[in-house]
Amino acid sequence: KTSAGSWNIINPASNWLYLSETKGTENNATVTLTASQNNSVQRTDTLVIYAGNAKPVNLVISQEPNQAGLYLTVNPTSVNFGSTGGTETITVNTNIPGWSIGISADWLSLTFNSAAGNEGNTSIEITASANSLTNVRSDTAIVYAEGVSNATITIIQESATYPGYNTSPVNPDATGMSSNASELAAKMTIGWNIGNTLEAIGGETAWGNPLITEELIQLVKQNGFNAIRLPCSWYQYMENKETAKIKTEWLDRVKEVVQYCIDNDIYVILNIHWDGGWLENNCTPEKQMQNNAMQKAFWEQIATHLRDFDEHLLFASANEPNVENTTQMSVLNSYHQTFINAVRSTGGKNSYRVLVIQGPSTDIEKTNTLMNTFPADEVENRLMAEIHYYTPYQFTLMTENASWGNMFYYWGKDYHSTTDTEYNATWGEEPTVDALMKLMKTQFIDEGIPVIMGEFGAMRRTSLTGEALALHLESRAYFLKYVTQQAKANGIIPFYWDAGGMGNNGSALFNRKNYTIFDQQALDALMEGVNE
């Protein structure tokens, strides 16, 4: 509205703001303003209106961005560096000017091939320095821009590889190694675990058991066992964690115990047990590179130090590796392959040694479902599979009632209590044993791969008293006999789990301190299972 004869509007925002009129002679005119869609950040400009000699009028126009039209992407969204470092290129694509990027790790740096902050595509180089640590390291680069969510780039760098410990490989030596896996399995009757001893965290006696002696091994042999599984820890015995070097005195101690067994004509399976969980709890893509490096370093050292033992010594890759799906199974297969390759690379008798490969979680059903392939080996018929048997859990291992169910004190069709019925087994009895053993026979034994049942057993619940205790112990003895029978009937070699405990919830067969039989009832049941 003006009293001047004419007016006009200067529009510096003409690229996004349109006016229906920019000049006129009317003293009372209407001008329509139309803004195009804003796919960038908030924009502002000023219209200047002139009319005759009157003071110009400024009209500030602002427009918020259309959030749906803004975008900010990066490609790739993750970058992996080797332990030696290097440079990778990422591309930022956006229609927002004024963006920025940040990182926090001092081992990363950014180099721009073109000025940062422009609309369109911008290439950025990310450089990682060498990683001298034995741990994988990671960081996140974050790209910021107003009006949109941040874009992130995950950056992972492998750990440094350990030194090679296959420093003295020798030519293959078949002396004393004539048996293939099936032939060796046929020589084993029943095995016994020296549990909670060489694998004990804190030292061999840290979990309450005495040092292993030859007298103990002789006691075991005299009572019908001709095989021993030797759970063993290695991680805690590194003299240098940066290089994964195992203390020589520990290698010597393990060798001494193996010698006790072989001197008494006992087959012995030596493994990497739980060992703090570094492998067992980390069958994951994130830990795969790091754990394969440690698996290789450990087994090169173990295999070299124990290379001269004959076929009485078997090596086992792991214990109970936690695996729930096909991705984790693939990682576990890589750990097993690294184990096989490391042992074979040392040569000598290790070129022919029988090696034991664990199923996922050593669980029969998971093994049947997920273990669809077996690792490759350069020598034929020298691999065994390993599973464990603690079914039903409520009977074998459970120590207190839970919201989902009670413990089982009584197992087997003829051993249920008529008065303590809430603690009778309700599943996992004889038909389950039959079915699960059959699965392993079909999957492995019928295909020429022997199966080790590396652990099985059921705790002794001596907190019970009177008739309840007597019935429980009878049913436990029946469980041990039945599982042993069915394992042997299906060609599976059973190894009883003995952690040395002689109190409530214990599993000891022998008193390791005075070299006597502690649990004659359980021992008899096992031997009956083998011989009937």
Side-chain angles (χ1 to χ4, degrees):
K1 183 175 182 178
T2 180
S3 58
S6 63
W7 54 267
N8 68 293
I9 303 174
I10 304 300
N11 179 19
S14 58
N15 60 330
W16 60 272
L17 185 66
Y18 304 95
L19 281 61
S20 60
E21 304 288 344
T22 58
K23 58 184 178 179
T25 57
E26 301 90 342
N27 64 3
N28 192 2
T30 299
V31 178
T32 301
L33 281 63
T34 302
S36 62
Q37 181 171 290
N38 181 8
N39 289 327
S40 186
V41 296
Q42 179 175 326
R43 52 192 177 185
T44 302
D45 223 321
T46 302
L47 305 182
V48 183
I49 306 172
Y50 297 91
N53 294 324
K55 182 180 180 180
V57 174
N58 295 329
L59 179 62
V60 177
I61 306 295
S62 62
Q63 184 184 29
E64 295 295 322
N66 173 26
Q67 297 293 333
L70 301 180
Y71 61 86
L72 173 67
T73 62
V74 292
N75 184 44
T77 57
S78 63
V79 175
N80 291 277
F81 289 102
S83 61
T84 57
T87 299
E88 297 287 343
T89 300
I90 64 166
T91 300
V92 177
N93 185 20
T94 183
N95 59 358
I96 306 171
W99 56 267
S100 61
I101 183 170
I103 54 173
S104 58
D106 58 7
W107 50 276
L108 292 172
S109 60
L110 298 172
T111 304
F112 297 89
N113 287 339
S114 60
N118 291 340
E119 299 176 64
N121 291 327
T122 303
S123 294
I124 300 173
E125 291 183 344
I126 299 179
T127 300
S129 60
N131 183 7
S132 60
L133 306 175
T134 56
N135 294 323
V136 173
R137 58 186 179 182
S138 62
D139 194 37
T140 302
I142 303 176
V143 183
Y144 308 87
E146 186 178 353
V148 294
S149 299
N150 299 335
T152 60
I153 306 104
T154 301
I155 304 165
I156 299 173
Q157 186 177 29
E158 298 168 10
S159 62
T161 55
Y162 301 111
Y165 287 103
N166 184 25
T167 56
S168 57
V170 296
N171 292 328
D173 178 6
T175 307
M177 307 298 291
S178 60
S179 301
N180 63 28
S182 295
E183 292 165 342
L184 200 60
K187 296 178 181 181
M188 299 183 194
T189 54
I190 184 171
W192 179 77
N193 277 268
I194 312 183
N196 285 17
T197 309
L198 293 187
E199 84 276 30
I201 302 303
E204 186 174 346
T205 63
W207 290 352
N209 287 309
L211 295 172
I212 299 170
T213 63
E214 188 165 9
E215 288 84 354
L216 175 63
I217 304 304
Q218 291 168 343
L219 175 68
V220 173
K221 177 64 181 293
Q222 291 163 5
N223 283 280
F225 297 92
N226 79 334
I228 282 178
R229 182 170 177 262
L230 198 58
C232 196
S233 172
W234 305 94
Y235 188 90
Q236 66 177 323
Y237 294 107
M238 285 188 287
E239 69 177 32
N240 185 337
K241 290 187 177 181
E242 297 299 318
T243 63
K245 187 176 190 313
I246 301 169
K247 294 177 181 178
T248 302
E249 56 264 37
W250 181 245
L251 289 163
D252 287 342
R253 172 56 180 159
V254 175
K255 185 176 183 179
E256 181 179 42
V257 175
V258 171
Q259 189 72 61
Y260 294 157
C261 298
I262 294 178
D263 285 348
N264 287 277
D265 193 27
I266 289 177
Y267 296 94
V268 56
I269 298 175
L270 176 68
N271 74 355
I272 292 179
H273 207 66
W274 174 69
D275 209 21
W278 66 267
L279 182 151
E280 188 155 306
N281 295 340
N282 292 290
C283 295
T284 62
E286 294 77 15
K287 291 289 187 178
Q288 184 172 8
M289 185 72 66
Q290 179 181 348
N291 284 348
N292 270 312
M294 184 165 287
Q295 179 87 322
K296 177 176 181 289
F298 279 1
W299 279 111
E300 284 179 344
Q301 294 173 80
I302 299 165
T304 297
H305 207 77
L306 304 178
R307 179 167 51 198
D308 295 333
F309 287 113
D310 70 9
E311 66 182 24
H312 280 79
L313 174 62
L314 299 80
F315 292 143
S317 174
N319 173 45
E320 294 179 345
N322 294 324
V323 166
E324 300 294 336
N325 53 52
T326 55
T327 298
Q328 293 174 347
M329 186 67 228
S330 176
V331 175
L332 176 58
N333 278 334
S334 76
Y335 296 163
H336 289 329
Q337 192 65 63
T338 295
F339 157 70
I340 293 170
N341 295 347
V343 173
R344 297 288 183 238
S345 71
T346 62
K349 291 178 171 53
N350 289 336
S351 297
Y352 305 99
R353 193 169 308 285
V354 170
L355 306 178
V356 184
I357 304 303
Q358 293 63 47
S361 306
T362 54
D363 176 85
I364 290 178
E365 291 175 296
K366 289 181 185 178
T367 298
N368 187 249
T369 301
L370 296 173
M371 201 170 194
N372 300 315
T373 60
F374 223 55
D377 191 6
E378 63 188 37
V379 57
E380 292 185 354
N381 303 320
R382 299 280 170 153
L383 299 180
M384 293 184 180
E386 181 179 353
I387 48 84
H388 295 172
Y389 196 87
Y390 291 112
T391 302
Y393 167 76
Q394 291 99 312
F395 181 70
T396 61
L397 296 173
M398 189 172 174
T399 58
E400 60 182 16
N401 292 336
S403 59
W404 50 266
N406 288 346
M407 297 176 285
F408 296 162
Y409 296 160
Y410 316 107
W411 184 95
K413 60 184 177 60
D414 296 327
Y415 293 89
H416 286 190
S417 173
T418 58
T419 57
D420 199 15
T421 56
E422 62 182 320
Y423 291 102
N424 287 330
T426 58
W427 73 283
E429 296 184 285
E430 294 94 336
T432 300
V433 178
D434 298 349
L436 293 178
M437 297 299 171
K438 179 65 174 177
L439 281 180
M440 293 296 91
K441 181 179 185 299
T442 302
Q443 184 173 359
F444 294 116
I445 294 169
D446 290 349
E447 300 299 319
I449 301 172
V451 176
I452 296 289
M453 189 162 70
E455 293 181 18
F456 79 106
M459 62 177 57
R460 185 176 46 251
R461 302 175 186 273
T462 53
S463 60
L464 298 174
T465 59
E467 293 181 357
L469 176 59
L471 181 60
H472 162 69
L473 292 177
E474 289 172 6
S475 76
R476 176 176 178 266
Y478 173 65
F479 171 87
L480 296 178
K481 177 181 176 179
Y482 192 86
V483 173
T484 302
Q485 281 180 323
Q486 294 308 306
K488 296 294 288 186
N490 286 277
I492 298 168
I493 308 155
F495 281 70
Y496 176 76
W497 176 254
D498 185 334
M502 293 183 285
N504 184 43
N505 297 334
S507 61
L509 294 179
F510 306 104
N511 184 324
R512 301 189 194 179
K513 296 178 181 179
N514 62 19
Y515 309 121
T516 59
I517 297 171
F518 172 73
D519 190 344
Q520 188 71 57
Q521 183 181 35
L523 179 60
D524 289 345
L526 292 166
M527 294 305 151
E528 289 170 7
V530 170
N531 297 316
E532 290 187 6

